[in-house]
Amino acid sequence: MHGYYFEDLEVGMAASTGKTITEADVLLFAAVSGDINPSHLNEEFAATTRMKTRVAHGMLTASLISGVLGCKLPGPGCLYVSQAVNFRAPVKLGDTVTATVTVTT
């Protein structure tokens, strides 16, 4: 199993993955990351916040890009070294998010 070689990448190539964020995702991410902020884990606490409900960890959603890069485009063997993130809206349990990689110049 291997992905694309650098010289095989062309501008415009794209790959994506979608995921519906579940209770299990949030609990497992909290356990792995150590981020046990009650905004993610406790509905009563979250109800008192600006979001009014529990939200997924931002880095949980940002981490989906790793799966696209390492498994789809360019694929196996790819290790990336940088990611800039701008969270535009909260992701609530049950929301579906999509991570997309597009080859640009």
Side-chain angles (χ1 to χ4, degrees), residues 1-76:
M1 174 183 214
H2 88 64
Y4 292 93
Y5 293 109
F6 182 79
E7 58 270 14
D8 296 330
L9 296 174
E10 297 179 13
V11 172
M13 292 174 79
S16 63
T17 189
K19 169 122 184 77
T20 300
I21 303 300
T22 67
E23 172 82 9
D25 295 325
V26 171
L27 294 176
L28 290 169
F29 193 84
V32 169
S33 69
D35 182 351
I36 57 169
N37 182 327
S39 295
H40 307 304
L41 303 176
N42 183 301
E43 189 62 51
E44 285 183 19
F45 176 86
T48 69
T49 69
R50 187 175 86 171
M51 301 302 168
K52 302 295 183 205
T53 190
R54 291 170 56 199
V55 295
H57 301 76
M59 293 312 292
L60 167 59
T61 61
S63 72
L64 296 177
I65 199 72
S66 182
V68 179
L69 289 168
C71 297
K72 295 185 176 187
L73 184 66

Side-chain angles (χ1 to χ4, degrees), residues 61-99:
T61 61
S63 72
L64 296 177
I65 199 72
S66 182
V68 179
L69 289 168
C71 297
K72 295 185 176 187
L73 184 66
C78 172
L79 299 173
Y80 72 106
V81 297
S82 179
Q83 179 174 344
V85 180
N86 180 14
F87 300 109
R88 296 180 182 200
V91 175
K92 299 173 184 170
L93 279 68
D95 286 352
T96 300
V97 294
T98 302

